[in-house]
Amino acid sequence: MGLLRRHRRPQPKIDPLVADLCGVLSDDRVRVDGAERALMARDASVFRGGVAGPTCFPTSTAEVQAIMRVAELHGAAVVPRGAGTGLAGGAIPLGAPIVVSTGRMNRILDVDLVNRVAWVEPGVINLDLSRHLQPMGFHFAPDPSSQAVCTLGGNVANNSGGPHCLAYGVTDAHIAAIEVVLIDGSVIMLGGLEAEPVGYDLRGAFVGGEGTLGIATRIAVRLTPNPPAVRTLLLSFDTVRAAAETVSAVIAAGIVPAALEVMDQRITVAVENFVGAGYPTDAAAVLLAEVEGSPAGADIDAERLETIGRANGATRVRRAESEEESALLWKGRKTAFGAIAQLAPDYYLHDTVVPRAALADVLEQVYEIAERHDVVVMNVFHAGDGNLHPLLLFDARIPGTLDRVHAAGAEILRASLAAGGVLSGEHGIGVEKQRFMGELFTDADLDHQNRLRRAFDPVCRANPGKVLPTGHSCADIQALRAVPTGVWG
Amino acid sequence: MDAVEESTLTIVDPVLLAFADEVGASGPVAVAGGRTRWDVGGSLDPEARVLSAPSGVVAHQPSEMTVQVRAGTTVAELDAELAAHGQRTALPDRGGTVGGAVAVGENPVDVLARGRLRDAVLQVRYVSAEGELVTGGGPVVKNVTGYNLPKLMTGSLGTLGVLAEFVLRTNPVPPASRWLSAEGVDPTLVFGAVHRPAAVLWDGLTTWVQLEGHGVDIDADAVALGRLSSFTEVAGPPAMPDHRWSLTPAEALDLPAHVDGDVVVALGVGLAWASQPQPPRPVTPEVAAVSARMKENFDPTGRLNPGRSVFA
Ligand SMILES: Cc1cc2nc3c(=O)[nH]c(=O)nc-3n(C[C@H](O)[C@H](O)[C@H](O)COP(=O)(O)OP(=O)(O)OC[C@H]3O[C@@H](n4cnc5c(N)ncnc54)[C@H](O)[C@@H]3O)c2cc1C
């Protein structure tokens, strides 16, 4: 995006920052070419206009430490980066900082079955870890839809969720310890394998810190035993409201399924055209539910779920007869975003949370808001958690379209807040939602969040310009030479 | 753009505002709950004013799996409210208050079933060292909006803020629960024979196991355990020795062989109870430095729960 035209190709050996970085990493692991900087300038969000400085590819904690020391010497900001699949602009570099990519720190270091943890480097891909653990009878429970590409470091930094976090909890509940390199170059172990690590819960404070608290270099993730039996059900409904109300009724009945996912008709049709999983294209909404446990217990829960669904208007209930059928139903859900590519060149994937009881009402508002702004909306979301994901489809080449998308997005946010919800359930704040933080929190609340942040990074050089609105984020503003375009103002 | 309607997060209870006034902006203060863990973290500076946090269950929404409760409420009162709707939380009941349980941050014995206390605290309201009411987190079960103040406050012994109110995650009480016990069986085999035991306790000789879930599952688990040894039904866990230890699961397994006196270990968790106290657990200079900055940032004048420290 004009990057190549605006910036002359930097001269690696002349720029003193780059020279110093090359002094601590091998030359081939410090990249300053235009292609690399363009690649690092964005993530999977719709926000553009990030400007990357040199990108480093460390392979060890010591090298990350050395990078931090060089950064300190030059007063440079540092942005950690995993796979760049974040949707809130968390990894977008503001003000040409050093980008630290964890791409080459991707080893599974140790699987410790006695303590039920695995030690991994931050660049390990989420799904690779679960595949590695599978034969041992375990998996890593948080399963973002992006799990085939996103990294555990990114999961930790964003406190990521996924369909199976309803019963098991989000990433935070599955991280025992994290080795972090702080902005001053010190290496700190947060948390531990003990039942209750001594002191403040710095591990819990770090998870979800969106790269503003330091760089995770080693992570001890908890292992979850694979369930003996799984039952996958697909329920069809004539209205989205009936599907949403079924979700509340299931929880109120004391069942906490492993997953409760809702897809509306538009997305169901798109998915069906894409993967042919046998999803009903005539239903206004489908509810994909999964219960697990022993074979007998899972059958009881599946039976109860079916009964509750029918009592709330389910017109059809399909129970997967085999593992293959179950996998196919899940493939439909997990490739939903891929399916969109057939329909529009761009999409904006929103992420808000509302109380479950408000799901149906807020969804109705979402459809109304989208229509008013002349934007196509589809909904596929973690209904069990009240976590909405309206997908706004658009074509960025048509002038003015993105503005309408953002206007609709802002209204959806406000509708969620008005219903007693929050700004984000799993994608984070990044640059996307920081302007709205003041609509949820008071100045005192934000000031206290900044106190937490400053305890890790008193100088505000770790991923500046994210999460907290300017005015609440210490010296961030000085570090920024560019504000990304597309940020709502 | 339309103005935002007032979110539940910004509605503030006058009872909490009155409490913030009582805490004020200067002078050492501490809160007494049930005084069941009064000595954790050292002894209180005698200068400190001792207050009681406001009490009462504000709102329980079973279908949201959340409960909003003021810190001075007893855990027993909270449990009674939740039980009436077939729910529970991860807070242990030792005769104390909800605020005390969160401030100390200790998990219940059946943590494998109820989850960790830290994971149950969704939203926290506390009075800052400056006397302001502060909210962190949110009232819904999933939330990554901003920094995680609820995690920081949980287990902080009230040294970073005076805890006033929480939104806690609740969970359904399982349909059935049973305790079984056997002697001389390898507890790690017990742990492996059952898919998700609620608790497995071991004193070096006897093993206790708590099974929870559907009746059919518990029956099947009991049959599986019967293949290991002859288990008998018991009323509940054994009486625990006085001192609580926090270890890695691997270290905890070794404990009965390494300390004198009575020991009970919770398998797969790393908790243990022994007749002697756990030796102090050192922290690294890096952890000490960040923690000191945290204390300094949240309580610059050192007025919150003076005399007590999370490292004591
Ligand atoms: C199609 C699609 C589906 C998705 N589905 C889900 C979903 O179901 N649930 C969900 O939660 N998210 C989902 N996401 C969002 C995204 O995949 C997650 O947020 C993921 O955790 C980001 O990981 P990453 O490796 O790509 O991180 P990046 O995007 O590279 O970085 C994300 C943030 O983490 C920081 N960071 C990265 N590594 C480190 C580190 N080692 N130390 C400190 N900070 C670090 C960065 O600075 C940045 O702030 C989806 C995204 C896409 C594109």
Side-chain angles (χ1 to χ4, degrees), chain B residues 13-82:
Chain B
D13 181 351
V15 173
L16 299 185
L17 291 175
F19 181 56
D21 278 347
E22 203 186 337
V23 172
S26 64
V29 282
V31 173
R35 295 191 189 242
T36 55
R37 312 295 278 171
W38 192 241
D39 298 324
V40 174
S43 42
L44 183 66
D45 183 339
E47 317 273 272
R49 252 185 324 138
V50 179
L51 310 175
S52 297
S55 65
V57 175
V58 182
H60 176 212
Q61 293 174 297
S63 69
E64 300 300 330
M65 299 205 306
T66 58
V67 63
Q68 185 174 4
V69 58
R70 296 190 192 121
T73 316
T74 63
V75 176
E77 194 184 329
L78 173 66
D79 285 352
E81 159 61 33
L82 298 179

Side-chain angles (χ1 to χ4, degrees), chain A residues 47-66:
Chain A
F47 302 105
R48 300 289 176 269
V51 178
T55 302
C56 298
F57 296 91
T59 55
S60 67
T61 303
E63 285 185 350
V64 174
Q65 213 177 358

Side-chain angles (χ1 to χ4, degrees), chain A residues 43-44 79-87 90-91 102 122 143-146 150-151 153-155 157-158 160-163 206 210-211 214-216 337 347 349 382 426-427 463:
Chain A
D43 63 4
V79 179
R81 183 180 178 97
T85 67
L87 290 164
T102 60
D143 57 342
S145 303
S146 52
C150 66
T151 68
N155 295 169
N158 278 358
S160 297
F206 184 88
E210 303 192 26
I215 301 185
F337 304 122
Y347 66 82
L349 179 54
H382 312 305
E426 53 181 25
H427 296 167
N463 204 2

